[in-house]
């Protein structure tokens, strides 16, 4: 449901989606979702946006007035796995296969996908041909953050070589319509694999390789905000990433 109060306040003040997004340091698409879909931002972001607009935060987002009841399990959590190695690669491939509109991948390398599923590029081409928008963000091997991650995992230069290998795997997709490939140098707290309203999130643990770290399977729900938090995080990294040229 559209947030008419927010739309009116922004219109009165001459605020565009892009201008408000820049003021509160979020992606413009997040602001668009606040207005057009009635999404409620995280409390800290909502407070900052309300202050920027000169409006009461509860007038813009009444849901924030209601205290949240404690929940044992999020309504968005489909499954939790002790480590990524517990998931067969087919779980990632099935997720991609089911996508109809959007596929987002945020990793440093994740070369296990191509190694265990050689058809991955072909599958991504098929999804793009059927209308999916596909965004793949890989780690920049020359980034200090990537190199630091390698040191923390005690892999030395191993992660840097894996980033370069991942880029080699994905590079043939650069010229495919609907697929965009970028490299990023951010500190990566989680690897994200999104297909429409479902997402696999591989948490990163200091000193532990990603294959031995937990994975949670999320499905977007009107009663939760976890999925959108990770989606917005992807958008923020994507905005800083550099396109890979063909």
């Amino acid at each position: 449901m559209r947030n008419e109060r927010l739309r009116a306040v922004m219109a009165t003040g001459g605020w565009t989606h892009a201008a408000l997004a820049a003021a509160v340091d979020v992606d413009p698409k997040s602001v668009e979702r606040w207005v057009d879909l009635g999404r409620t931002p995280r409390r800290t972001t909502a407070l900052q946006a309300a202050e920027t607009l000169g409006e009461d935060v509860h007038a813009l987002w009444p849901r924030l007035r209601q205290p949240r009841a404690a929940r044992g399990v999020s309504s968005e959590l489909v499954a939790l796995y002790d480590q990524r190695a517990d998931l067969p690669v087919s779980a990632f491939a099935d997720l991609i296969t089911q996508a109809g509109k959007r596929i987002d991948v945020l990793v440093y390398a994740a070369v296990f996908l191509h190694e265990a599923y050689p058809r991955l590029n072909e599958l991504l081409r098929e999804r793009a041909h059927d209308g999916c928008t596909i965004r793949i963000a890989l780690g920049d091997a020359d980034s200090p953050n990537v190199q630091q991650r390698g040191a923390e995992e005690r892999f030395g230069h191993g992660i840097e070589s894996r980033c370069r290998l991942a880029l080699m795997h994905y590079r043939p997709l650069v010229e495919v319509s609907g697929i965009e490939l970028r490299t990023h140098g951010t500190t990566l707290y989680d690897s994200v694999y999104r297909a429409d309203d479902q997402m696999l999130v591989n948490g990163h643990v200091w000193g532990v390789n990603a294959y031995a770290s937990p994975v949670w399977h999320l499905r977007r729900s009107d009663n939760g905000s976890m999925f959108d938090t990770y989606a917005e995080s992807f958008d923020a990294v994507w905005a800083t990433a550099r396109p890979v040229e063909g």
Side-chain angles (χ1 to χ4, degrees), residues 106-108 139 143-149 152 184-191 204 206 233 237 240:
L106 172 61
V107 296
Y108 271 163
S143 164
N145 288 322
V146 171
Q147 295 167 4
Q148 178 64 30
R149 178 63 183 176
E152 293 168 358
H184 69 95
T186 62
T187 300
L188 193 61
Y189 300 102
D190 306 277
S191 295
H204 291 182
W206 195 95
S233 176
V237 173
T240 69

Side-chain angles (χ1 to χ4, degrees), residues 157-213:
H157 296 291
I159 193 168
E160 298 163 44
S161 61
R162 295 204 303 275
C163 287
R164 293 189 173 93
L165 179 58
L167 185 57
M168 290 175 59
H169 281 308
Y170 285 106
R171 187 176 288 278
L173 300 175
V174 169
E175 301 299 332
V176 177
S177 177
I179 300 179
E180 188 172 358
L181 180 64
R182 296 186 183 182
T183 58
H184 69 95
T186 62
T187 300
L188 193 61
Y189 300 102
D190 306 277
S191 295
V192 175
Y193 309 84
R194 175 188 178 179
D196 293 340
D197 287 340
Q198 296 199 65
M199 182 184 294
L200 293 172
V201 180
N202 185 188
H204 291 182
V205 180
W206 195 95
V208 178
N209 192 282
Y211 68 76
S213 298

Side-chain angles (χ1 to χ4, degrees), residues 68-77 80 226:
R68 293 184 178 180
R71 295 181 302 182
V73 179
S74 168
S75 61
E76 296 176 285
L77 184 63
L80 176 64
M226 289 177 63

Side-chain angles (χ1 to χ4, degrees), residues 7 29 34 101 121 232:
R7 183 198 62 76
K29 291 184 179 179
W34 301 347
K101 296 180 179 179
N121 279 10
E232 290 171 8

Side-chain angles (χ1 to χ4, degrees), residues 33-193:
R33 286 193 286 265
W34 301 347
V35 177
D36 294 338
L37 301 181
R39 295 277 168 76
T40 301
R42 286 173 288 180
R43 184 173 295 273
T44 54
T45 303
L47 288 168
Q48 186 179 358
E51 182 178 356
T52 300
L53 296 170
E55 181 62 84
D56 178 69
V57 67
H58 295 125
L60 294 176
W61 293 288
R63 286 181 59 188
L64 293 176
R65 193 186 301 275
Q66 304 298 326
R68 293 184 178 180
R71 295 181 302 182
V73 179
S74 168
S75 61
E76 296 176 285
L77 184 63
V78 177
L80 176 64
Y81 303 90
D82 289 346
Q83 54 186 14
R84 194 190 72 200
D86 292 337
L87 277 79
V89 175
S90 60
F92 295 85
D94 290 345
L95 193 74
I96 292 172
T97 300
Q98 295 169 17
K101 296 180 179 179
R102 177 177 299 283
I103 295 170
D104 290 334
V105 176
L106 172 61
V107 296
Y108 271 163
V111 292
F112 74 95
L113 288 175
H114 279 96
E115 291 172 347
Y117 194 77
R119 279 197 71 252
L120 181 61
N121 279 10
E122 183 179 347
L123 175 58
L124 291 171
R125 285 192 184 94
E126 291 172 356
R127 302 316 306 130
H129 181 267
D130 288 342
C132 265
T133 297
I134 301 174
R135 301 183 294 177
I136 301 169
L138 305 175
D140 179 352
D142 296 321
S143 164
N145 288 322
V146 171
Q147 295 167 4
Q148 178 64 30
R149 178 63 183 176
E152 293 168 358
E153 289 183 349
R154 296 180 292 276
F155 269 71
H157 296 291
I159 193 168
E160 298 163 44
S161 61
R162 295 204 303 275
C163 287
R164 293 189 173 93
L165 179 58
L167 185 57
M168 290 175 59
H169 281 308
Y170 285 106
R171 187 176 288 278
L173 300 175
V174 169
E175 301 299 332
V176 177
S177 177
I179 300 179
E180 188 172 358
L181 180 64
R182 296 186 183 182
T183 58
H184 69 95
T186 62
T187 300
L188 193 61
Y189 300 102
D190 306 277
S191 295
V192 175
Y193 309 84

